[in-house]
Amino acid sequence: MPYIPFTEEQKITANSVELADFLRMRGERLERAGREYKLIYSDGSGRHDSITMSGSTWFDHKNQVGGGAIKFMQYYYDMNFPTAVQELLGQRITPLSHAPPKAAVREEKPKNFKLPVANENMHRVFAYLIKQRFIAPEIITYFAKNHTLYEDKEHHNAVFVGVNENGIPRQAHKRSTSTFGRSFRQTVEGSDTKYSFSHFGESEKLFVFEAPIDMLSYLTLNPKNWQKHSYIAMNGVYENAVLTALKGRSNLSEIIICTDNDVGGIDAADRLKDVLRENNYVNISRILPKNKDFNEDLKQLNGVEFLPAVPHSRKQRYTAVISELQKLECDADRLLSNLNLTLKNEQYKYLAEYALSGSAFFLRQAGCKADFDQLCIKLRKEYRAYTDKAHRAQKQRDLRDKVSEVGRDLKQLARTYEQSVKTAKKLYQLADCALKICADEVENIAENCELSEQESDEEVYAQELS
């Protein structure tokens, strides 16, 4: 394939393609998940839904990797940089039947699920969980007696088993007990992701964790009457097993999310809240570990080195900008010109203040009691960092589109109650768009790193051809 010198505009356009629409046109299966979409695919280890996407960004929660549209084509379809850009720009469309190897793997029939052969004892698993992870022996013994935790014979991994409603194993997750080298974790081939390592009690409470060791650590820290409640480990940060557990047990009505205290865990908690609310579960709360996760809390209590919590800088920046907003006097006749002027001058904070002040103004016109400060609280509460991963150029385009939409709405002369509320809502959304740009650093580090990586890929590809 000849070297193609793409322009910066072409690369930005390709990287800003709406992935859900693009993949749907190519026959991929997608499911709605809160404000995102999940890509549903199968390979030799079973059915998967760990890849989520919003706009032009995506994230594989199982493998903890993500990025923009170009990187997705490289990651999922094994395309080189030029081919990925051409596909996204519509210059070249590869039929699914001729897709690269990784896409073809998705069409393989799932393998039958079979538990790893159990070892005759659990000496290594007990030693690892007690001495390295500081899990209480009685907690380990409970799950071992219930045959949902054991040691495999071949490699002496800890095996965490997920059973269905009839107690039949349907999923298993292996974790190495070695204290040397890189940690090994793997879901057993043929596992059904609707089930996961768990315990179900009779109370209304369900505690949700990212991984089995997080769950065992929490039980060690909170042992009092723990068996009366329910607990489940997602083996990642997607919700399939959680929804299955809730729908199959009518006593469960209160969900406590216990994901990690880092960027991934915080995003996962927000995303899971949205998915649960879409499924009509409203009694949802959050328990944060003091450090990165509950096992790190256990390590700290036992005086060994531990990983601290990782602040969500994007979320913190958005919240900080909101705290700086000042209410402005709203002149309905001049509001549109003020919005256009601040947009032209890239004064995004002023634009947000005008938009939010205007939203409060039209809510008062409709007889609603919400004021400027209450709208700020609402913005802070509703912000979802996991959906705010677009590049600055895309955010600016979204903002311009939203200003145009508000402009058309503000030209109405007579207003009903419904029209005033509708205008207030659009101005509120406009404020959110402006705040997301404000919250970004002057130079978007993530965007620059990704584009630099893509340019490097292109240079390497050109050198290979020369």
Side-chain angles (χ1 to χ4, degrees):
M1 180 179 180
Y3 170 62
I4 304 173
F6 295 108
T7 66
E8 287 300 314
E9 183 178 358
Q10 284 177 315
K11 287 186 280 188
I12 291 173
T13 300
N15 213 38
S16 301
V17 167
E18 289 279 336
L19 278 172
D21 294 339
F22 179 85
L23 295 175
R24 203 179 281 115
M25 287 191 298
R26 279 151 178 77
E28 300 288 1
R29 183 183 171 191
L30 299 162
E31 288 183 2
R32 189 83 184 185
R35 303 181 186 184
E36 297 181 303
Y37 287 93
K38 294 186 296 185
L39 175 63
I40 309 299
Y41 67 99
S42 298
D43 61 17
S45 64
R47 180 180 180 273
H48 301 284
D49 59 0
S50 63
I51 298 178
T52 59
M53 52 196 63
S54 175
S56 62
T57 61
W58 61 280
F59 192 74
D60 186 342
H61 299 275
K62 183 177 181 180
N63 296 308
Q64 292 294 293
V65 62
I70 296 174
K71 189 173 180 181
F72 177 84
M73 302 299 281
Q74 294 174 298
Y75 174 80
Y76 190 70
Y77 292 116
D78 284 335
M79 291 182 179
N80 58 39
F81 182 87
T83 303
V85 174
Q86 282 188 304
E87 289 277 352
L88 292 165
L89 292 176
Q91 298 173 3
R92 167 192 172 110
I93 299 178
T94 304
L96 288 180
S97 59
H98 296 102
K102 189 174 287 189
V105 171
R106 297 176 297 104
E107 299 173 1
E108 293 181 3
K109 292 182 179 180
K111 295 185 179 180
N112 292 329
F113 173 70
K114 185 178 180 180
L115 284 174
V117 176
N119 195 35
E120 59 185 12
N121 60 59
M122 288 183 58
H123 293 168
R124 294 197 191 183
V125 168
F126 265 96
Y128 171 74
L129 292 178
I130 294 172
K131 295 180 180 179
Q132 300 296 322
R133 294 295 190 160
F134 306 103
I135 308 297
E138 60 271 20
I139 299 293
I140 304 170
T141 300
Y142 175 87
F143 288 97
K145 286 183 177 179
N146 281 276
H147 307 291
T148 54
L149 171 59
Y150 69 94
E151 181 177 314
D152 79 0
K153 184 176 182 179
E154 185 176 4
H155 299 292
H156 302 283
N157 296 309
V159 182
F160 300 93
V161 182
V163 300
N164 67 9
E165 297 80 359
N166 300 315
I168 300 172
R170 293 299 187 200
Q171 187 264 11
H173 184 75
K174 296 188 290 185
R175 199 201 192 289
S176 64
T177 56
S178 174
T179 57
F180 302 99
R182 189 174 181 180
S183 175
F184 168 81
R185 286 175 287 183
Q186 184 183 67
T187 299
V188 174
E189 288 187 336
S191 289
D192 188 340
T193 59
K194 293 197 300 294
Y195 305 98
S196 190
F197 181 68
S198 55
H199 163 80
F200 295 104
E202 297 180 355
S203 84
E204 72 284 358
K205 294 183 177 181
L206 174 65
F207 295 79
V208 180
F209 302 86
E210 287 186 36
I213 289 179
D214 297 334
M215 175 178 150
L216 299 181
S217 300
Y218 181 84
L219 298 180
T220 300
L221 291 164
N222 301 275
K224 186 176 180 181
N225 299 322
W226 72 266
Q227 293 182 33
K228 71 178 183 179
H229 305 305
S230 298
Y231 310 82
I232 190 166
M234 296 186 289
N235 285 337
V237 289
Y238 43 102
E239 72 290 338
N240 207 0
V242 178
L243 292 176
T244 300
L246 288 168
K247 291 173 181 177
R249 295 168 176 81
S250 59
N251 63 302
L252 297 176
S253 60
E254 180 181 352
I255 302 108
I256 301 98
I257 301 175
C258 307
T259 52
D260 292 357
N261 194 0
D262 61 8
V263 175
I266 293 168
D267 281 348
D270 285 342
R271 179 176 166 276
L272 184 56
K273 285 178 188 176
D274 291 340
V275 172
L276 290 169
R277 284 169 180 151
E278 283 197 350
N279 284 271
N280 301 316
Y281 296 100
V282 295
N283 191 0
I284 307 166
S285 58
R286 173 91 158 111
I287 294 180
L288 277 168
K290 178 182 177 183
N291 298 299
K292 178 185 174 294
D293 57 48
F294 290 106
N295 193 249
E296 300 303 326
D297 288 355
L298 266 183
K299 289 179 181 178
Q300 183 183 31
L301 284 175
N302 284 273
V304 301
E305 185 178 353
F306 62 91
L307 297 175
V310 181
H312 200 309
S313 58
R314 184 184 295 272
K315 201 164 190 174
Q316 288 181 337
R317 290 198 303 267
Y318 185 91
T319 300
V321 173
I322 291 177
S323 66
E324 297 172 358
L325 295 180
Q326 299 292 323
K327 180 182 177 182
L328 304 175
E329 289 299 321
C330 180
D331 183 341
D333 295 329
R334 298 185 59 187
L335 180 56
L336 181 55
S337 63
N338 287 332
L339 293 174
N340 283 323
L341 181 62
T342 52
L343 176 65
K344 179 181 178 181
N345 295 332
E346 298 187 356
Q347 297 171 306
Y348 300 119
K349 180 170 174 287
Y350 284 126
L351 198 160
E353 290 173 336
Y354 276 120
L356 208 60
S357 298
S359 181
F361 172 83
F362 283 105
L363 286 174
R364 289 196 303 273
Q365 293 286 308
C368 301
K369 294 182 179 179
D371 60 17
F372 183 87
D373 291 336
Q374 289 172 321
L375 291 177
C376 287
I377 294 172
K378 181 178 171 66
L379 280 168
R380 188 180 295 112
K381 183 178 179 181
E382 292 183 346
Y383 177 68
R384 294 291 185 263
Y386 76 87
T387 66
D388 183 20
K389 296 178 181 178
H391 296 313
R392 187 179 182 87
Q394 181 61 50
K395 291 182 181 182
Q396 289 172 325
R397 285 193 289 272
D398 292 341
L399 185 64
R400 288 195 296 270
D401 291 343
K402 187 61 68 175
V403 170
S404 297
E405 182 183 349
V406 168
R408 291 190 295 271
D409 200 72
L410 288 174
K411 291 177 181 178
Q412 298 180 71
L413 298 178
R415 292 181 182 277
T416 63
Y417 164 81
E418 289 79 10
Q419 288 171 330
S420 292
V421 171
K422 183 179 178 182
T423 301
K425 183 177 181 179
K426 289 182 178 179
L427 284 163
Y428 174 86
Q429 293 170 344
L430 175 59
D432 178 56
C433 287
L435 287 169
K436 286 174 179 175
I437 297 178
C438 290
D440 285 339
E441 297 175 344
V442 176
E443 293 184 359
N444 191 313
I445 298 175
E447 178 180 3
N448 288 342
C449 287
E450 184 171 321
L451 287 177
S452 295
E453 179 183 343
Q454 291 163 2
E455 288 168 358
S456 176
D457 289 344
E458 187 178 8
E459 289 171 2
V460 170
Y461 184 76
Q463 290 171 5
E464 289 175 350
L465 293 174
S466 61

